[in-house]
């Protein structure tokens, strides 16, 4: 199969993404506007007949003082990863990126290796010998994913450091998803654990209402998000980031990003952003106040978002990153515990991979990053 690769327009890129069942929200052309501090380019792969058969959003970050770039394809490129001739896809990409001044390429193949059902994870949490997700036998394994990893290694790609929960600039290796395809909402609700069902009922009884917000409500979102940042010890993104995200994504597609609030007696207690690309819906950012927790606003909000995702015809509701640690003393344990309550599945991706085009500069970047 002979493929050619060239820069494509945003319109071509978007049309290709829209022709697919789904793709990562980080591979839509508008994501380039969200990441305004990076230079961006849309790449397209064409087959012999001239048909567009793959696409990738590349973000370029310049090295300080020199005209050399880290080229990054977050959760991409969007190609057929299980093709037997993977190098026919990746070699022209590397050549092109090198020509563009890249010294190193980082990508995140959107390929899932393993899945664990909620029941298996719960049993694992109760087992003192189990410390990590990997210590539990997976309920589903994708053998072709191992072939992809082998091919990448043979081509000279290096597996990046494990992103763990994926907080920061590394994409999560482990995520939590609730499958919706071929299931009724009753089934989905029945699969929630007892605590979740009880908390949803408690919120309903207390009169918690869940509403959608708009651009004008992002300041209120930011208030709750900054309270969360203080409580959970992370550095919050500025309001301007979410404003840019809203404008960029919803200009591309009016239903790409949504904002939800759970309120009680007219006071907003928790909030979340939701992203939609085809049949894949993500809960992307969450925030909550330190007050009003007893009326369970977060459970009510998730249940509403899940129902809305279902009404949109989504095949999966993605709760994004989790840590693979099942140690109850780990500060991220509460996150997996909360998400497991939805009765979904933990999924492990192939993780991020690097290709050093200039070994010296790649090494220098590694040292620079490790000191930050």
């Amino acid at each position: 199969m002979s493929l050619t690769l060239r820069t494509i327009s945003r319109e071509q890129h978007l049309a290709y993404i829209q022709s697919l069942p789904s793709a990562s929200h980080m591979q839509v052309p508008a994501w380039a506007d969200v990441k305004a501090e990076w230079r961006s380019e849309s790449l397209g792969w064409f087959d012999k007949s001239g048909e567009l058969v793959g696409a990738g959003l590349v973000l370029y970050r310049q090295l300080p003082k020199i005209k050399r770039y880290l080229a990054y394809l977050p959760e991409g490129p969007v190609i057929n990863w299980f093709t037997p001739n993977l190098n026919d896809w990746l070699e022209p990409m590397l050549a092109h990126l090198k020509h563009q001044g890249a010294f190193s390429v980082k990508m995140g193949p959107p390929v899932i290796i393993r899945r664990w059902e909620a029941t298996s994870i719960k049993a694992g949490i109760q087992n003192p010998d189990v410390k990590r997700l990997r210590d539990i036998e997976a309920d589903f394994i994708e053998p072709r994913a191992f072939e992809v990893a082998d091919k990448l290694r043979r081509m000279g790609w290096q597996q990046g450091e494990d992103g763990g929960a994926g907080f920061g600039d590394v994409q999560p290796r482990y995520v939590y998803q609730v499958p919706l395809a071929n299931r009724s909402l009753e089934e989905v609700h029945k699969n929630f654990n007892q605590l979740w069902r009880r908390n949803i009922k408690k919120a309903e009884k207390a009169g918690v209402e869940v509403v959608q917000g708009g651009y004008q409500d992002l300041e209120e979102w930011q208030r709750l998000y900054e309270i969360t940042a203080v409580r959970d010890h992370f550095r919050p993104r500025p309001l301007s980031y979410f404003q840019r995200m809203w404008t960029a994504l919803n200009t591309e597609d009016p239903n790409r990003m949504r904002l939800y609030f759970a309120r009680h007696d007219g006071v907003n207690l928790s909030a979340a952003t939701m992203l939609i690309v085809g049949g894949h819906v993500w809960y992307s950012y969450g925030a909550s106040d330190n007050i009003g927790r007893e009326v369970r606003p977060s459970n009510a909000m998730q249940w509403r978002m899940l129902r809305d995702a279902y009404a949109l015809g989504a095949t999966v509701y993605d709760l994004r990153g989790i840590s693979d640690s099942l140690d109850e003393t780990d500060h991220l344990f509460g996150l997996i515990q909360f998400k497991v309550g939805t009765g979904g599945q933990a999924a492990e991706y192939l993780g991020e991979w690097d290709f050093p085009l200039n070994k010296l500069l790649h090494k220098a970047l590694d040292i620079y990053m490790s000191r930050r």
Side-chain angles (χ1 to χ4, degrees), residues 253-362:
D253 179 332
N255 202 21
R256 186 76 84 217
M257 179 175 175
R258 291 184 178 188
L259 178 61
Y260 286 84
F261 290 98
R263 58 171 64 143
H264 185 243
D265 292 341
V267 179
N268 292 317
L269 297 175
S270 58
T273 61
M274 181 161 118
L275 300 175
I276 302 149
V277 184
H280 202 128
V281 172
W282 293 263
Y283 152 56
S284 73
Y285 283 90
S288 60
D289 206 330
N290 297 326
I291 57 164
R293 296 185 146 203
E294 67 286 349
V295 295
R296 305 299 176 201
S298 294
N299 297 89
M301 186 173 63
Q302 287 295 344
W303 177 227
R304 162 73 191 272
M305 288 165 72
L306 219 151
R307 293 199 316 268
D308 284 3
Y310 190 88
L312 286 167
T315 53
V316 63
Y317 180 70
D318 196 324
L319 290 140
R320 290 293 283 164
I322 50 170
S323 159
D324 73 328
S325 170
L326 297 178
D327 177 359
E328 297 189 22
T329 60
D330 190 302
H331 71 292
L332 292 170
F333 177 74
L335 195 63
I336 190 166
Q337 208 174 23
F338 178 75
K339 293 178 182 183
V340 165
T342 62
Q345 306 167 330
E348 179 190 359
Y349 279 90
L350 258 190
E352 296 199 316
W353 293 70
D354 297 298
F355 195 99
L357 291 164
N358 178 319
K359 291 197 166 64
L360 203 66
L361 287 176
H362 179 82

Side-chain angles (χ1 to χ4, degrees), residues 129-198:
D129 296 331
V130 169
K131 297 283 180 266
R132 305 203 158 268
L133 260 180
R134 286 220 185 160
D135 300 339
I136 304 169
E137 191 181 337
D139 294 290
F140 166 82
I141 289 179
E142 173 55 85
R144 294 178 302 172
F146 297 98
E147 289 174 31
V148 174
D150 283 345
K151 283 176 192 164
L152 291 175
R153 277 191 202 96
R154 283 205 298 272
M155 279 183 243
W157 288 85
Q158 301 166 3
Q159 195 157 19
E161 283 306 299
D162 192 0
F167 303 110
D169 280 337
V170 199
Q171 295 320 315
R173 173 100 185 244
Y174 297 90
V175 299
Y176 207 84
Q177 299 176 337
V178 181
L180 301 177
N182 309 317
R183 296 174 77 196
S184 68
L185 266 180
E186 290 70 39
E187 268 177 82
V188 174
H189 184 263
K190 217 162 60 197
N191 252 19
F192 283 174
N193 71 12
Q194 216 178 343
L195 185 65
W196 261 84
R197 292 201 301 270
R198 207 164 50 224

Side-chain angles (χ1 to χ4, degrees), residues 24-291:
S24 168
H25 61 275
M26 295 184 198
Q27 281 294 307
V28 300
W31 194 252
D33 302 326
V34 179
K35 297 292 173 187
E37 69 279 18
W38 298 66
R39 180 164 74 83
S40 65
E41 182 184 21
S42 291
L43 294 182
W45 281 259
F46 294 83
D47 66 11
K48 270 205 284 258
S49 67
E51 193 190 340
L52 184 61
V53 289
L57 176 70
V58 187
L59 302 173
Y60 294 98
R61 166 74 55 96
Q62 190 175 344
L63 268 187
K65 300 193 179 60
I66 59 168
K67 271 236 182 308
R68 282 281 182 264
Y69 303 88
L70 166 67
Y72 182 33
L73 295 96
E75 297 185 1
V78 184
I79 59 173
N80 174 12
W81 283 94
F82 298 135
T83 176
N85 54 328
L86 192 56
N87 44 345
D88 290 359
W89 293 74
L90 298 180
E91 276 168 15
M93 181 182 85
L94 289 173
H96 175 88
L97 297 175
K98 188 171 190 169
H99 187 69
Q100 292 284 342
F103 67 89
S104 187
V105 181
K106 183 185 276 292
M107 65 177 183
V111 174
I112 288 175
I113 314 181
R114 301 179 182 84
R115 291 184 188 275
W116 294 266
E117 298 289 349
T119 44
S120 306
I121 300 169
K122 280 179 207 157
I125 289 171
Q126 280 152 13
N127 180 344
D129 296 331
V130 169
K131 297 283 180 266
R132 305 203 158 268
L133 260 180
R134 286 220 185 160
D135 300 339
I136 304 169
E137 191 181 337
D139 294 290
F140 166 82
I141 289 179
E142 173 55 85
R144 294 178 302 172
F146 297 98
E147 289 174 31
V148 174
D150 283 345
K151 283 176 192 164
L152 291 175
R153 277 191 202 96
R154 283 205 298 272
M155 279 183 243
W157 288 85
Q158 301 166 3
Q159 195 157 19
E161 283 306 299
D162 192 0
F167 303 110
D169 280 337
V170 199
Q171 295 320 315
R173 173 100 185 244
Y174 297 90
V175 299
Y176 207 84
Q177 299 176 337
V178 181
L180 301 177
N182 309 317
R183 296 174 77 196
S184 68
L185 266 180
E186 290 70 39
E187 268 177 82
V188 174
H189 184 263
K190 217 162 60 197
N191 252 19
F192 283 174
N193 71 12
Q194 216 178 343
L195 185 65
W196 261 84
R197 292 201 301 270
R198 207 164 50 224
N199 285 345
I200 290 167
K201 209 177 225 149
K202 198 183 253 186
E204 271 169 29
K205 263 209 182 109
V208 171
E209 56 169 344
V210 181
V211 297
Q212 267 185 259
Y215 181 88
Q216 69 286 353
D217 302 301
L218 286 168
E219 287 186 24
E220 173 63 1
W221 148 264
Q222 192 70 15
R223 179 185 75 82
L224 291 168
Y225 174 63
E226 287 180 9
I227 290 171
T228 310
V230 171
R231 184 178 64 238
D232 293 348
H233 314 292
F234 66 84
R235 209 165 78 217
R237 292 191 181 274
L239 172 61
S240 59
Y241 180 81
F242 295 102
Q243 289 173 329
R244 192 164 69 229
M245 195 170 172
W246 182 276
T247 306
L249 295 179
N250 287 336
T251 300
E252 178 176 274
D253 179 332
N255 202 21
R256 186 76 84 217
M257 179 175 175
R258 291 184 178 188
L259 178 61
Y260 286 84
F261 290 98
R263 58 171 64 143
H264 185 243
D265 292 341
V267 179
N268 292 317
L269 297 175
S270 58
T273 61
M274 181 161 118
L275 300 175
I276 302 149
V277 184
H280 202 128
V281 172
W282 293 263
Y283 152 56
S284 73
Y285 283 90
S288 60
D289 206 330
N290 297 326
I291 57 164

